[in-house]
Amino acid sequence: MRIDIITLFPEMFDGPFNHSIIKRSIDKNLVEIHLHDLRNYSLKKHKSVDDYAFGGGAGMVMMIEPIDKCIEKLKSERDYNEIIYLSPDGELLGQPMANKLSLCENLILLCGHYKGVDERIREYLITKEISIGNYVLSGGELAAAVLTDSIIRLIPGVLGDETSALSDSFQDNLISPPVYTRPREYKGWQVPDVLLSGNEKEIQEWKLEQSFERTKQKRPEIFKAKMKMNSLNKEYLTCTRKKRNYQK
Ligand code: ADE
């Protein structure tokens, strides 16, 4: 997969992309990330890329020309599945969207700043608008980094254990069960007995029950939606009906 990021601040990606899973996936050639400094496409003196809004109003607007030139150049070199603009009024990012985008070959991410981009960019060039949450960031860079991370970790071969992306919270609309590691006891705080029992069937049942209970407690709106799906409702009832006495 190839991701091209168009930004006024390429340095902002140094941190998130040069560590951990993203770095490893780049080193393994599973993903290519190309940063494009928008100022390099400016035709203006002093490489400016923004201007005052027609009709007045506070804040500068990112101009159409440098963005169009950059996208045009990229599109002349390869086909893109989506040209994404990161914006607080876009479609809310969730696991299903990350899953879908992880199947793409080539993506362009456009990061906005100031008052936003000239509307014609959204109308004529952008194919998808994504928000990472209902709050306003200073620019699209952090949102692009979040989106990129959520996509890359799903590409086969990126995570060491192929199943671990599938067992992420939200992958099946449930929050992941709690996890523990050594020591078994710390300051009198115990690991649940069932996890030390070696009984794989009971462990799996416990994990499912914990997932249901956590989702119900922490994200009741997701739980409700899930319970509306009949088959899952049945799964939940089966799970809770089995009266287990696991120690917490
Ligand atoms: N740009 C500014 N705020 C944003 C948000 N919440 N999501 C995506 N892009 C943004």
Side-chain angles (χ1 to χ4, degrees):
M1 169 183 254
R2 176 184 167 118
I3 302 178
D4 289 276
I5 302 180
I6 304 174
T7 170
L8 285 171
F9 300 100
E11 315 77 33
M12 281 186 74
F13 295 92
D14 288 350
F17 291 172
N18 284 320
H19 300 277
S20 186
I21 287 168
I22 298 195
K23 180 174 184 331
R24 223 180 316 138
S25 63
I26 295 169
D27 291 346
K28 282 204 232 166
N29 290 327
L30 293 168
V31 65
E32 280 179 40
I33 299 178
H34 297 266
L35 299 169
H36 305 275
D37 188 340
L38 202 50
R39 290 187 202 283
N40 294 338
Y41 294 85
S42 169
L43 301 177
K44 298 253 178 182
K45 251 205 313 200
H46 309 303
K47 296 198 164 191
S48 66
V49 289
D50 59 333
D51 212 332
Y52 295 101
F54 280 131
M60 303 294 275
V61 177
M62 286 172 72
M63 290 185 296
I64 194 164
E65 197 163 36
I67 293 173
D68 182 42
K69 290 277 164 278
C70 184
I71 292 178
E72 208 171 58
K73 177 175 177 289
L74 291 172
K75 277 170 66 175
S76 72
E77 292 163 352
R78 70 197 61 75
D79 289 334
Y80 284 89
N81 301 87
E82 299 282 6
I83 302 176
I84 298 167
Y85 177 52
L86 283 308
S87 166
D89 58 16
E91 191 183 336
L92 211 53
L93 174 65
Q95 196 59 52
M97 190 194 288
N99 292 348
K100 210 165 147 199
L101 292 174
S102 74
L103 302 173
C104 292
E105 196 118 320
N106 300 309
L107 294 172
I108 293 177
L109 310 186
L110 171 64
C111 306
H113 262 273
Y114 316 123
K115 260 291 172 224
V117 296
D118 186 309
E119 187 62 23
R120 289 167 292 181
I121 293 164
R122 301 173 76 160
E123 199 177 331
Y124 295 106
L125 300 175
I126 296 300
T127 62
K128 197 173 188 62
E129 301 184 340
I130 297 179
S131 163
I132 64 158
N134 292 330
Y135 42 81
V136 180
L137 300 167
S138 313
E141 281 75 11
L142 294 176
V146 168
L147 177 62
T148 302
D149 190 301
S150 74
I151 293 171
I152 287 182
R153 64 196 311 288
L154 299 168
I155 297 172
V158 166
L159 294 184
D161 175 358
E162 287 286 337
T163 61
S164 68
L166 293 176
S167 61
D168 283 344
S169 277
F170 302 115
Q171 200 51 272
D172 54 4
N173 260 332
L174 281 178
I175 292 175
S176 296
V179 290
Y180 300 84
T181 186
R182 274 182 281 242
R184 286 173 171 216
E185 191 236 297
Y186 179 77
K187 289 185 175 175
W189 305 334
Q190 304 280 349
V191 172
D193 283 344
V194 61
L195 295 178
L196 309 170
S197 68
N199 184 330
E200 194 52 33
K201 186 166 170 278
E202 284 207 343
I203 291 172
Q204 290 313 324
E205 282 172 5
W206 180 86
K207 286 185 174 177
L208 184 62
E209 184 194 69
Q210 289 290 314
S211 282
F212 275 119
E213 287 311 316
R214 290 196 139 197
T215 311
K216 190 175 169 186
Q217 255 178 33
K218 294 179 184 232
R219 300 297 297 270
E221 78 289 359
I222 295 179
F223 186 77
K224 247 191 231 159
K226 197 164 172 68
M227 284 307 104
K228 276 198 187 136
M229 297 158 71
N230 261 344
S231 60
L232 293 165
N233 198 352
K234 225 169 92 192
E235 193 185 356
Y236 174 63
L237 290 174
T238 320
C239 174
T240 50
R241 228 177 266 135
K242 286 182 191 160
K243 274 271 165 248
R244 283 179 296 271
N245 298 310
Y246 301 125
Q247 247 181 284
K248 278 237 162 173

